[in-house]
Amino acid sequence: MCLPIADRTMLGWLRSQLRVLEAWRAELIARGETDLETLERLDRHHTWLSSEIARLEAEEELAA
């Protein structure tokens, strides 16, 4: 991430973004979308965002 923000509010918002990505992916699959490129981009972004959240959570634990 660009900014070193690791407060609870930001982490909550980032987690909600993961749920949005998951819902978007599920919707594409349920509608029978065959746009594999979009699904792959969603998966890559989900993986990246998950790792950023884990990193921020680890930093938050160290600061506590």
Side-chain angles (χ1 to χ4, degrees):
M1 294 196 57
C2 308
L3 300 172
I5 301 171
D7 63 19
R8 291 226 177 263
T9 303
M10 178 59 72
L11 285 171
W13 183 82
L14 291 172
R15 288 183 196 107
S16 74
Q17 297 309 296
L18 281 180
R19 291 189 298 274
V20 168
L21 290 172
E22 291 161 2
W24 186 6
R25 186 179 192 284
E27 182 179 332
L28 289 176
I29 291 170
R31 289 191 326 207
E33 296 284 338
T34 56
D35 185 356
L36 294 178
E37 184 178 335
T38 299
L39 290 173
E40 289 172 359
R41 282 196 317 265
L42 286 171
D43 287 341
R44 282 193 308 271
H45 189 63
H46 187 279
T47 299
W48 172 81
L49 188 52
S50 295
S51 68
E52 287 298 303
I53 290 170
R55 183 182 62 77
L56 290 169
E57 288 171 334
E59 287 178 9
E60 183 180 57
E61 287 178 19
L62 289 176

